[in-house]
Amino acid sequence: MLAPMKAAIAVLLLAVGCDAKATASDPGSSTRPENKSKEYESCGTSAHCADDLRCFDNVCQRVTRSTVGDYYAAVGKASLASGDVNAAIAGYKEALKQYENEKVALPGAVGCDYGAALTAGRANKENAELAARTLHGCLLAVPPGSSVRAKAMLALAQLNDAGLEPTLLGQAQLASAYLTRAPQKPATDRLVVALKGDPAPAKTMPLIEAKAAEADTKGALVACWDAYHSASKKDAVSVTMTVKSAFYQNPDYDDEGRFILKIDPAVGLPAGTPDAAVDTCVRAVMEPAIKSLKIAENFTTKLTISVK
């Protein structure tokens, strides 16, 4: 009688222990490869991520990285945050080169950030075209619901005015060219010319503002904006010039004297750039306009002319 009971107990223990993976914390269905999260998809633990990925900040990320490549990517990111677009693009180029030299697959987020830096430099047509291509590659490399993809879409939206053809982004392969539409620009009749003096001369500022509002002067300033927009793809012009007015007494006659106006030349603008060209253009419009006024006030002001 005892022998049959031992046999029955052995069979029961064998049945209970046959599926070692069937635990409450790790159900078999959830650990199947097809159910695991891909790179940049959400996760609770690293067990939820596909092979070679780990869960960091609830997102699956790869652990095989180029440390030096990531350093250069960080340089690019910091440069972009500080407004130095050229340095940002250069940093990301070094990151891509380092990943290639080490034969490590480039993380999709690094490529997407490079596309965003190129977008910031879209005034250069080559940068704009490469930005569109890089960002399309980003869309193909990252999952639809990821924050990385959302950021790439925002960057692509900034290329609309540069002539991006959005239907190309729906293709499963990269296109040969992306900026195939005519670039768009705001209607010039909606542009606003605004002036600000720092400090504003009490008597003279209203005269300068009235002069800038005249049809001929405003039309010439809009023409400066138009040329600048075509060259830079930026929608706003801002030029600052130092204007001085002082009364000079005739040393030979006590009852004779006049106010003399002086406008300091521009400094620090690299020749041949859109910023230098629009500065020259705005000055060519405003200097004779201001000097034509009847000024009777001593002042020194930094006059900023904006068109947007």
Side-chain angles (χ1 to χ4, degrees):
M1 186 71 179
L2 185 60
M5 287 182 63
K6 289 183 177 180
I9 293 172
V11 172
L12 179 62
L13 290 174
L14 181 62
V16 171
C18 67
D19 187 3
K21 294 183 179 180
T23 66
S25 61
D26 187 21
S29 61
S30 66
T31 57
R32 292 173 183 170
E34 64 270 22
N35 291 335
K36 289 191 174 185
S37 294
K38 300 179 179 63
E39 189 175 18
Y40 304 119
E41 289 184 337
S42 62
C43 57
T45 70
S46 293
H48 298 153
C49 299
D51 292 345
D52 300 324
L53 301 178
R54 295 293 182 271
C55 187
F56 299 106
D57 297 326
N58 300 115
V59 176
C60 292
Q61 301 183 50
R62 69 180 68 183
V63 291
T64 304
R65 315 262 313 198
S66 163
T67 299
V68 177
D70 286 347
Y71 165 79
Y72 282 118
V75 169
K77 186 174 183 178
S79 298
L80 188 61
S82 67
D84 192 338
V85 175
N86 291 333
I89 293 173
Y92 282 113
K93 281 183 178 179
E94 287 297 323
L96 267 63
K97 185 186 301 183
Q98 190 65 33
Y99 265 94
E100 183 178 358
N101 290 342
E102 295 183 26
K103 294 180 171 54
V104 177
L106 183 72
V110 174
C112 297
D113 288 345
Y114 176 43
L118 288 165
T119 300
R122 62 189 179 279
N124 180 307
K125 189 173 181 180
E126 290 183 2
N127 284 346
E129 184 65 54
L130 182 56
R133 183 179 182 84
T134 302
L135 290 167
H136 185 200
C138 166
L139 297 185
L140 297 175
V142 301
S146 66
S147 61
V148 177
R149 186 178 187 274
K151 288 168 61 177
M153 278 295 187
L154 288 176
L156 283 164
Q158 296 179 61
L159 297 174
N160 180 59
D161 290 348
L164 173 66
E165 175 50 61
T167 59
L168 296 173
L169 303 177
Q171 297 180 1
Q173 63 280 336
L174 298 178
S176 57
Y178 290 84
L179 307 183
T180 58
R181 293 187 300 108
Q184 299 178 356
K185 63 182 181 182
T188 55
D189 59 352
R190 297 183 181 180
L191 294 174
V192 175
V193 175
L195 281 76
K196 179 182 179 181
D198 182 24
K203 297 179 181 178
T204 308
M205 195 66 193
L207 300 178
I208 299 176
E209 290 173 335
K211 190 68 178 178
E214 291 180 1
D216 290 345
T217 307
K218 182 179 179 180
L221 291 173
V222 168
C224 293
W225 174 92
D226 195 42
Y228 180 69
H229 182 274
S230 297
S232 70
K233 301 301 182 292
K234 295 180 180 179
D235 294 339
V237 162
S238 182
V239 172
T240 299
M241 58 181 70
T242 300
V243 183
K244 302 175 181 178
S245 174
F247 183 81
Y248 286 85
Q249 178 70 49
N250 188 328
D252 298 324
Y253 300 96
D254 292 340
D255 58 347
E256 289 187 7
R258 64 190 178 96
F259 284 91
I260 296 180
L261 194 72
K262 179 183 178 182
I263 299 178
D264 290 348
V267 294
L269 293 175
T273 63
D275 287 338
V278 76
D279 186 275
T280 299
C281 183
V282 170
R283 285 173 178 272
V285 175
M286 291 303 300
E287 287 191 23
I290 296 173
K291 289 180 178 179
S292 70
L293 301 174
K294 292 183 179 181
I295 296 175
E297 184 180 13
N298 287 309
F299 66 84
T300 297
T301 183
K302 288 186 176 181
L303 180 67
T304 300
I305 301 98
S306 302
V307 185
K308 57 184 178 180

